[in-house]
Amino acid sequence: MKKFILIFTMILSFSVFALDLSDAKQQGLVGEKVDGLLGVVKSSREVNQLVQSINAQRIELYKEIAEKNGMTLEQVSVLAGKKAISKTPRGEYIQNSAGQWEIK
């Protein structure tokens, strides 16, 4: 029983410290890219995993949107990038047209 409580406590403590998208953006770890995907500004294992996960979800969504609207994945991605960048609050990172990170 003690082992179970210890393992359960460890699992809970890891989830408390898990990085979410909002925190990562506010901490300047990630930013919105012009291609509609999330980019790594300051790399760490946790940040890289977060970006990979979110980008996989975004790509699937973009594929669905493209198919439903007779568009290419690239067209949807570029439109999504413009929208995401325009909605990004001041103080967070965005990718400029030259591919460099800048604070909005």
Side-chain angles (χ1 to χ4, degrees):
M1 182 69 172
K2 287 183 180 182
K3 287 183 181 180
F4 172 76
I5 293 172
L6 177 62
I7 292 170
F8 184 72
T9 304
M10 288 173 62
I11 291 170
L12 285 178
S13 67
F14 285 125
S15 65
V16 169
F17 294 107
L19 187 64
D20 70 13
L21 178 56
S22 179
D23 290 339
K25 285 183 172 185
Q26 291 173 358
Q27 293 174 29
L29 303 175
V30 300
E32 293 292 345
K33 294 174 34 179
V34 295
D35 64 2
L37 298 177
L38 195 63
V40 174
V41 177
K42 296 179 184 169
S43 184
S44 76
R45 187 169 144 236
E46 191 174 18
V47 169
N48 294 341
Q49 289 174 340
L50 175 69
V51 169
Q52 287 176 348
S53 174
I54 289 174
N55 284 344
Q57 294 171 41
R58 286 185 180 186
I59 289 170
E60 287 306 309
L61 178 61
Y62 297 167
K63 285 179 182 177
E64 290 175 25
I65 293 169
E67 187 175 313
K68 287 180 184 175
N69 293 286
M71 300 170 71
T72 66
L73 176 60
E74 184 180 352
Q75 289 171 319
V76 173
S77 296
V78 169
L79 290 172
K82 288 179 183 178
K83 185 173 183 177
I85 287 172
S86 73
K87 293 177 89 175
T88 298
R90 294 185 102 156
E92 293 183 3
Y93 280 92
I94 58 170
Q95 186 184 54
N96 63 29
S97 58
Q100 301 298 314
W101 290 115
E102 62 182 48
I103 297 174
K104 186 172 178 183

